[in-house]
Amino acid sequence: MSGSTTDSAAESEHDGSPETVEPSIRTDEPSAHADEEKAAAVRRVSEAGRRWRAAQLAGCAALLAVAMTGGSIAFGALRDGGTATVASSSAAVSPGLMASGDLDASIKAMQAHLRSQPKDFGGWAGLGLAYVEQARTKGDPSRYRQAEQVLKKSLQLSADNEQGLTGLAALAAARHDFKDALAYADRTLKQNPYSERALSSRIDALVELGRYDEASKAADLADERRPGIPVFTRYAYVHELRGDVRTARGVLEQALSTATTPGDIAYVAGALGQLAWNQGDYDTALTDYARALAADDTYLPALEGRARAQAASGDRAAAIKGMENVVARYPLPGPLVELGELYEDRGADGDRAKAKDQYTLVDAWIALARANGVNADLDTALAAADHGDKASALKAARAEWARRHTVHTADALAWALHVNGHDKEALAYTRQATATGYRNASFLYHRGIIELATGDRKEGRSHLTSALKLNPGFSPLGAREARKALKEASK
């Protein structure tokens, strides 16, 4: 990928004038070189994926795994929409941020500008935000360290400037440090109560900390102060978490009607597609994803979402081809795990090995993310429960629950407890995961399985039935297991 090139020269720490704008990671820690090698390995695999055909993807995964064995590899994965729930964050930077065009080209332009204007604190903040977006969309967590450096540079040039603080809020959220994200958003709002980014970041952080009542009030306040696409999409998500799908869709449709840039159109239409898919409305989801891709045919969430909707609709061949194309361009954890499960579900010759390769690559990606300051406990808990070490899954889930109480962390802890044989303890957490009314088939599936394990056949059958009624194709493997368990429990 075009963002895979690296600049070796570093910013001068004495006078602030850059030899190149992109700073190197300077540290005396012995792991620094290993981290850079990990980042380079991810980039090489991503670049190779754009050249190689889908049949060669398993080899790419193995190559990355080998390249990263010199470091500390934590086993885990990231799951979205399957047997485990996405460890995702609504705090991701909107694709509309770089609406002017190609992200890599935008970064190069900002770098060129800062070479001639090294005292432009807003420019440094913009570059930091771009690095956050690049890390998120390109599967390159090493950019987080660079984002941190240039954002701090912005604040050195102008203490507590709004752009720098909102950039640090976005970075903290991307690293799953939601307490810091909230603190930076609050600092920004003290200066500018109408900052759209800070208002949005505050909603995101409160949601990800599980403080849903406060998040709802924050969404109302943001809607009063700065109505627009960033606020509308978060307002919709707060309502979705409470089970109010109708309001969520109405707000997103309103947002789409006001969108003008390709980035914003793709962003909102993709969110509509995800909302429809969660409700098992695959035709609508495919229509929404088509709207997103008509605006931006490279928009990753829409490409991934379309493949998942195709799989749920029964078009497995198209789904696998689509997901292979996604991971060839962007080897991110979510689509890698989805592709692995699609291979397992198909079960053709060599598919088991292909699936294992995808999970191995996700393990390596998470190790790299950890090395660059990302809290990956939730990711590890979700994936390791189904595709890795169960004891590690439980350890990570407990650690994440100690940090924040969300529906996602409750579900992850419940499932990790279940696979480790602690079903009675799991029951309380799976009930918390479904307490808000959030319509998520994976949550219902987990609750049903746990209830059956504790001997509550009536409730177990009810929740498994609800999961399959809501979204019968919620996971290539989980839906199959749900049907099997329901059949056994009905005898």
Side-chain angles (χ1 to χ4, degrees), residues 410-411 414 426-435 443 446-448 450-451:
D411 174 69
L427 193 58
Y429 293 104
T430 196
R431 287 171 176 167
Q432 287 190 56
T434 55
F443 288 15
H446 289 161
R447 179 168 178 172
I450 292 168
E451 287 169 335

Side-chain angles (χ1 to χ4, degrees), residues 189-262:
L189 290 171
K190 286 182 179 179
Q191 295 184 35
N192 179 7
Y194 294 88
S195 169
E196 183 178 65
R197 286 180 182 169
L199 288 166
S200 297
S201 292
R202 191 168 195 277
I203 301 168
D204 294 337
L206 289 168
V207 164
E208 297 299 341
L209 289 169
R211 294 159 59 174
Y212 298 130
D213 288 342
E214 293 175 75
S216 181
K217 293 177 181 178
D220 289 337
L221 178 63
D223 188 43
E224 290 176 9
R225 291 182 178 177
R226 288 298 301 270
I229 287 173
V231 172
F232 289 161
T233 52
R234 288 157 172 85
Y235 188 93
Y237 185 58
V238 168
H239 279 270
E240 183 187 358
L241 283 171
R242 295 183 177 279
D244 188 359
V245 175
R246 178 179 295 182
T247 296
R249 186 161 190 93
V251 171
L252 288 174
E253 289 285 6
Q254 180 184 354
L256 187 60
S257 70
T258 66
T260 57
T261 68

Side-chain angles (χ1 to χ4, degrees), residues 326-345:
V326 168
V327 302
R329 296 166 61 186
Y330 303 115
L332 293 167
L336 283 166
V337 172
E338 184 76 14
L339 179 59
E341 294 200 350
L342 285 169
Y343 284 143
E344 285 196 67
D345 185 54

Side-chain angles (χ1 to χ4, degrees), residues 81 236-237 240 244-250 252-253 267-291 301 305-306 308-310 312-313 438-441 467-474:
Y237 185 58
E240 183 187 358
D244 188 359
V245 175
R246 178 179 295 182
T247 296
R249 186 161 190 93
L252 288 174
E253 289 285 6
Y267 179 50
V268 180
L272 280 163
Q274 177 67 24
L275 181 64
W277 185 86
N278 283 342
Q279 314 313 310
D281 187 353
Y282 307 133
D283 288 341
T284 299
L286 288 169
T287 297
D288 289 330
Y289 288 133
R291 294 158 81 182
R306 182 178 65 181
R308 285 197 284 113
Q310 288 169 332
S313 300
Y438 181 43
R439 293 168 58 82
N440 185 297
L468 292 169
K469 182 178 180 181
L470 173 62
N471 188 351
F474 68 89

Side-chain angles (χ1 to χ4, degrees), residues 16 120 177 196 211 243 246 250 264 357 372 402 437 469 474 477:
D120 180 2
D177 183 356
E196 183 178 65
R211 294 159 59 174
R246 178 179 295 182
D264 282 342
D357 284 338
N372 285 279
K469 182 178 180 181
F474 68 89
L477 302 183

